[in-house]
């Protein structure tokens, strides 16, 4: 979604001229001439109308100047208006589209590198294992605890340094380690890492990675234990099978040799992964499936089987803020029955496994699953949903207050632009009425909730009334001589002449009622969705 929004922000000039982002030079010239006939200042004698026409004519001329120039259009399509104002010199120094694109990519990489080098990137995991049986026996509830932390920094263009440490305590035993990794980018397709770790499991190692082809990469590593001098050799190969899936093979040779074959698939709504591992000390397989129910919630099921494991894990998570996610998991297997709570905050993670019982009982296992599940759905219905509704409503009101002046000015400008379209729009409307063609009888653009209230007059709509704008007139103007109307896909409708953004930062839709051939139709489309009228499927 974010990528679609970014692309749409680089297409507002196309919306202004009402052409497709794939429009030819001739289509752009034709659109410019049509709009220039409406908004040329010399057509108006009234001073106020002349002022409005001048402002909109300047917008049209700027759009045409950019989109009719091959180099400027290429820059605009990639980076928007920011690319055009970035200080690049057009002409003799950069006179080819490829050269401009290469230079902009270089500037973009440099900005990203500067941003990375200016900030440290910390990450860490805190694991606190709790035991209910131990607590009931009077031995304390804490079973074990560990902390892992790492700070990564881009120290130069091709060099990254990561420093971290681990501290673990279990009963009367403890373990600690400090580690450092230095990564050097040898080229655009290869890198090398030097690793060192001090502690009970101290080691030194070297690892190199290379992009073998467009869809394949390989990694080779060599590590030596500082404790017993043993050497471990690792090799892994990764192959992209499609745009959403890849497969991998991993081979480890040393004190604990193993070979593993894995597969991963991920798209917008689901993620699945599987791995089979055969080693000198154990053999096993893991399968995991994650399903995204909405932008804020997901479910997960994981199965493990092998010589040392047999368990099933079921659970789900919910995004509670832009940076935080909470997850609850239920595990049953030969090791016992567990609950696991996870809190993710950016790159930081808190994991709390709660050991419930070592002995399997159908009644206890069912209760351990049903009780927290029922509690979650009860809290979700009675606490979480009302809280999020209130918070979203409050945020919407705050956003409305902050953008009130901006929206008022945008609506005033859109209204003035519509006034100059009125004569032609009415003439087109009357012509379509005579021939039984396409006539827009009602069209509103803005907040979907406000649009919904249009057909539900009994609901209160005072708070949302300001979050929609009437666009009936500009849509009638855009109906062509053949009695058709098309709004292009991937272009924000707020950029169309006579439109404006009535609720910045919010989701927007366009609702249209129209007549054609004596029949009534209605349709509602998303902001970036294509709309073609008339269509039989819109018939009421």
């Amino acid at each position: 979604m974010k990528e679609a929004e970014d692309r749409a922000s680089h297409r507002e000039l196309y919306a202004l001229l009402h052409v497709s982002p794939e429009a030819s030079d001739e289509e752009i010239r034709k659109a410019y001439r049509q709009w220039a006939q409406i908004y040329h200042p010399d057509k108006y004698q009234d001073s106020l109308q002349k002022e409005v026409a001048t402002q909109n004519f300047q917008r049209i001329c700027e759009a045409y100047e950019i989109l009719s120039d091959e180099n400027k259009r290429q820059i605009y399509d990639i980076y928007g208006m920011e690319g055009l104002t970035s200080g690049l010199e057009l002409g003799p120094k950069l006179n080819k589209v490829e050269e401009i694109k290469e230079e902009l990519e270089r500037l973009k990489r440099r900005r990203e590198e500067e941003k990375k080098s200016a900030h440290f990137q910390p990450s860490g995991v805190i694991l606190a294992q709790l035991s209910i049986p131990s607590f009931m026996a009077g031995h304390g509830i804490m079973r074990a605890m560990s902390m892992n932390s790492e700070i990564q920094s881009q120290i130069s263009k091709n060099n990254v340094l990561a420093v971290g440490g681990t501290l673990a305590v279990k009963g009367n035993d403890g373990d600690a380690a400090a580690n450092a990794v230095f990564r050097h980018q040898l080229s655009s397709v290869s890198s090398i890492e030097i690793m060192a770790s001090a502690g009970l499991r101290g080691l030194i190692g070297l690892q190199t990675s290379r992009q073998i082809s467009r869809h394949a990469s390989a990694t080779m590593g060599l590590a030596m234990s500082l404790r017993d001098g043993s050497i471990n050799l690792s090799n892994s190969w990764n192959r992209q099978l499609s745009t959403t899936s890849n497969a991998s093979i991993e081979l480890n040779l040393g004190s604990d040799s193993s070979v593993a074959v894995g597969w991963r698939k991920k798209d917008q709504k689901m993620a699945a992964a599987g791995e089979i591992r055969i080693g000198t000390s154990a053999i096993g397989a893991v399968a995991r499936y994650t399903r995204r129910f909405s932008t804020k919630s997901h479910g997960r099921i994981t199965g493990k089987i092998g010589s040392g494991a047999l368990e099933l894990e079921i659970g789900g998570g919910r995004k509670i803020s832009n940076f935080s996610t909470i997850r609850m998991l239920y595990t049953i297997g030969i090791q016992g029955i567990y609950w696991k709570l996870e809190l993710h905050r950016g790159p930081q993670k808190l994991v709390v496994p709660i050991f419930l019982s070592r002995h399997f009982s159908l009644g206890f296992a069912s209760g351990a699953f049903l009780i927290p599940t029922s509690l979650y759905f009860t809290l979700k219905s009675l606490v979480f949903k009302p809280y999020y509704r209130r918070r979203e409503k409050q945020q919407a009101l705050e956003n409305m207050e902050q953008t009130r002046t901006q929206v008022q000015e945008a609506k005033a400008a859109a209204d003035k632009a519509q006034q100059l379209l009125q004569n032609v729009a009415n003439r087109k409307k009357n012509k379509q009425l005579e021939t039984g063609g396409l006539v827009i009888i009602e069209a509103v653009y803005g907040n979907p909730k406000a649009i919904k209230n249009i057909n539900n007059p009994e609901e209160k709509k005072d708070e949302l009334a300001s979050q929609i704008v009437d666009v009936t007139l500009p849509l009638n103007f855009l109906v062509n001589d053949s009695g058709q109307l098309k709004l292009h896909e991937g272009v924000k409708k707020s950029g169309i002449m006579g439109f404006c953004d009535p609720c910045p930062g919010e989701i927007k839709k366009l609702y249209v009622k129209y007549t054609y051939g004596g029949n009534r139709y209605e349709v509602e489309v998303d902001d970036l969705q294509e709309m073609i009228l008339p269509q039989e499927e819109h018939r009421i």
Side-chain angles (χ1 to χ4, degrees), residues 81 314 352 378 413 505:
M81 294 302 295
I314 303 173
V352 184
T378 301

Side-chain angles (χ1 to χ4, degrees), residues 143-406:
R143 192 178 187 184
M145 187 170 184
S146 65
M147 292 184 291
N148 181 291
S149 182
E150 181 181 270
I151 297 177
Q152 180 175 293
S153 177
Q154 185 97 21
I155 57 178
S156 67
K157 181 179 178 180
N158 297 317
N159 299 316
V160 176
L161 177 64
V163 179
T166 302
L167 178 65
V169 178
K170 186 175 183 179
N172 296 324
D173 299 325
D175 189 9
N179 54 75
V181 178
F182 175 76
R183 183 183 303 115
H184 177 67
Q185 194 73 29
L186 297 172
S187 68
S188 60
V189 296
S190 62
S191 64
I192 187 170
E193 292 183 4
I194 300 174
M195 302 167 287
S197 177
L200 295 177
R201 301 178 184 178
L203 59 83
I204 55 173
L206 183 69
Q207 179 175 286
T208 180
S209 301
R210 183 173 180 83
Q211 191 76 26
I212 300 174
S213 67
R214 183 180 178 184
H215 302 291
S217 62
T219 300
M220 177 181 292
L222 180 67
M224 183 182 73
S225 172
L226 299 178
R227 186 176 182 182
D228 55 15
S230 61
I231 295 177
N232 185 78
L233 178 65
S234 64
N235 289 273
S236 64
W237 298 268
N238 186 285
R239 172 74 181 182
Q240 184 177 349
L241 303 177
S242 68
T243 55
T244 60
S245 63
N246 63 77
S248 62
I249 300 176
E250 181 182 329
L251 175 63
N252 291 305
L253 299 175
S255 56
D256 188 11
S257 299
S258 65
V259 60
V261 178
W263 170 83
R264 293 178 183 273
K265 180 178 176 65
K266 184 176 182 181
D267 57 32
Q268 291 183 345
K269 293 187 176 180
M270 61 82 69
E275 183 184 81
I276 299 176
R277 183 175 293 273
I278 302 175
T280 55
S281 60
I283 180 174
V286 179
R288 175 176 293 166
Y289 177 80
T290 301
R291 179 72 178 181
R292 187 172 296 278
F293 302 119
S294 68
T295 56
K296 293 185 177 181
S297 61
H298 66 273
R300 172 183 289 182
I301 180 169
T302 304
K304 297 180 182 180
I305 186 172
S307 56
L310 178 61
E311 67 179 38
L312 178 68
E313 185 177 75
I314 303 173
R318 184 174 181 84
K319 190 174 183 180
I320 57 178
S321 72
N322 291 333
F323 305 101
S324 301
T325 300
I326 190 169
R327 185 179 293 150
M328 173 73 179
L329 302 169
Y330 170 76
T331 305
I332 182 171
I334 60 175
Q335 300 295 329
I337 301 173
Y338 288 82
W339 288 337
K340 184 189 291 184
L341 302 175
E342 295 183 5
L343 174 62
H344 299 246
R345 174 71 178 177
Q348 310 293 332
K349 185 190 300 185
L350 172 64
V351 182
V352 184
I354 305 175
F355 178 60
L356 302 177
S357 174
R358 188 176 300 279
H359 306 289
F360 177 80
S361 165
L362 183 60
F364 183 83
S366 300
F369 174 73
L370 293 175
I371 290 174
T373 303
S374 302
L375 180 62
Y376 167 75
F377 284 108
T378 301
L379 291 174
K380 179 181 178 181
S381 177
L382 300 179
V383 179
F384 298 147
K385 276 192 173 181
Y387 167 75
Y388 284 118
R389 287 197 189 102
R390 288 196 302 270
R391 193 175 73 169
E392 288 176 358
K393 185 176 181 180
Q394 182 63 32
Q395 289 176 342
L397 291 174
E398 291 176 357
N399 184 56
M400 286 174 59
E401 188 63 33
Q402 293 172 358
T403 60
R404 187 182 302 277
T405 302
Q406 174 188 343

